[in-house]
Amino acid sequence: MANVILFGPPGAGKGTQAKYLVDKFSLFKISSGDLLRKEIKNETELGNKIKSIIDQGSLVDDNYIDGLIEKIISNKKYFNMLIFDGYPRNINQAKTLDSLISKYDQKISCVFSLKVDHEVVVKRILGRQTCLSCGLIFNTFFSPSTKENHNCDEKHLQKRSDDNEATIIKRIKTYDIKTLPVLNYYSDQNLLCEIDGMREISIIYKEIRAIMHTLDTWLYMVHLYK
Ligand SMILES: [Zn+2]
């Protein structure tokens, strides 16, 4: 198996792809946000420390996150079976990740980056609707709820958030600026794989899945001839 990293701006469908990959390849998803939330929820010593930092309105130091990441990388249960989602966020984290990965004799096999048009992402986010009754997800621009595809009353349809266009564009631009150096870092190591995120979710998934299978074969061959 392989450790992979998934990048994508808000609205690129990163969460959906991560979920598919976790299910298909029995990967364990590492998201620094989830890790922090879990510590806080379990009220561990570290969790309480983190909570007081967040409550003070400060940013959680990379050291805390690195410690949590190491706990999982060092766990043999997840050996070469990790998918990183939303981590690493900066070059320092990427370098730390590299050293942790090699410390535990593993490797990053591929870094997927979902590329999308800003305009489309805005519509994806602004148009998103969830039916509170049956759980189906629609989009007022791309896949609206109709009598043919949905039986519930319209009153159950809920917009996800009160995000406005300016906020979303700002979030995407911030993402681009912050991620670019990290993507370049992986590009220099020939690990970057750019995926056209403008296509249908299922088609994007098929492409990523196919690449995952080639990684698998390749790792298997390496193992075979070692
Ligand atoms: Zn419904």
Side-chain angles (χ1 to χ4, degrees):
M1 272 320 303
N3 292 320
V4 296
I5 300 175
L6 195 54
F7 281 105
K14 185 165 61 83
T16 312
Q17 297 298 338
K19 196 185 170 308
Y20 285 158
L21 294 171
V22 163
D23 291 346
K24 170 75 184 169
F25 295 98
S26 308
L27 299 176
F28 182 81
K29 191 179 90 163
I30 294 194
S31 133
S32 51
D34 287 352
L35 290 176
L36 293 174
R37 277 188 290 275
K38 198 175 145 210
E39 291 294 315
I40 293 170
K41 190 170 156 253
N42 293 342
E43 296 184 350
T44 62
E45 196 183 322
L46 182 63
N48 292 334
K49 220 181 271 173
I50 293 167
K51 188 174 182 301
S52 73
I53 294 170
I54 294 173
D55 287 347
Q56 285 164 24
S58 307
L59 278 175
V60 180
D61 193 89
D62 275 359
N63 291 333
Y64 292 115
I65 297 167
D66 297 341
L68 293 172
I69 301 268
E70 177 162 15
K71 243 202 257 179
I72 293 174
I73 294 179
S74 61
N75 189 336
K76 290 213 163 58
K77 205 166 98 188
Y78 307 128
F79 186 82
N80 270 337
M81 285 174 69
L82 298 168
I83 179 164
F84 294 89
D85 173 3
Y87 179 93
R89 275 183 206 283
N90 54 51
I91 292 289
N92 281 338
Q93 286 186 347
K95 286 182 177 163
T96 305
L97 180 60
D98 271 353
S99 60
L100 287 176
I101 287 281
S102 57
K103 179 176 172 188
Y104 294 98
D105 206 20
Q106 301 180 48
K107 63 172 293 186
I108 301 284
S109 300
C110 193
V111 177
F112 295 104
S113 171
L114 295 171
K115 308 288 271 184
V116 287
D117 260 16
H118 290 185
E119 202 181 307
V120 171
V121 173
V122 169
K123 282 185 174 171
R124 278 188 185 171
I125 297 175
L126 284 181
R128 184 144 54 192
Q129 281 184 325
T130 309
C131 175
L132 295 179
S133 174
C134 69
L136 282 178
I137 295 166
F138 300 97
N139 187 293
T140 52
F141 299 105
F142 304 118
S143 51
S145 159
T146 63
K147 287 202 168 56
E148 284 72 41
N149 66 14
H150 191 211
N151 294 324
C152 311
D153 193 281
E154 270 197 14
K155 71 175 180 205
H156 299 298
L157 290 171
Q158 197 200 44
K159 283 245 172 190
R160 193 186 72 137
S161 65
D162 49 8
D163 288 341
N164 63 48
E165 200 169 329
T167 314
I168 296 166
I169 291 174
K170 203 174 147 206
R171 268 164 59 203
I172 298 166
K173 283 194 173 147
T174 310
Y175 168 86
D176 282 346
I177 293 166
K178 282 177 86 174
T179 344
L180 191 65
V182 185
L183 292 181
N184 288 338
Y185 177 78
Y186 288 115
S187 175
D188 289 345
Q189 300 183 44
N190 284 325
L191 286 175
L192 188 64
C193 182
E194 295 196 320
I195 304 282
D196 174 5
M198 301 291 292
R199 298 161 301 165
E200 259 181 69
I201 286 172
S202 61
I203 293 172
I204 298 171
Y205 170 58
K206 270 184 199 153
E207 182 178 340
I208 297 179
R209 193 181 60 189
I211 297 169
M212 289 290 292
H213 279 302
T214 66
L215 297 175
D216 223 8
T217 317
W218 184 77
L219 285 175
Y220 175 72
M221 300 290 280
V222 169
H223 183 73
L224 210 62
Y225 293 105
K226 216 155 66 179

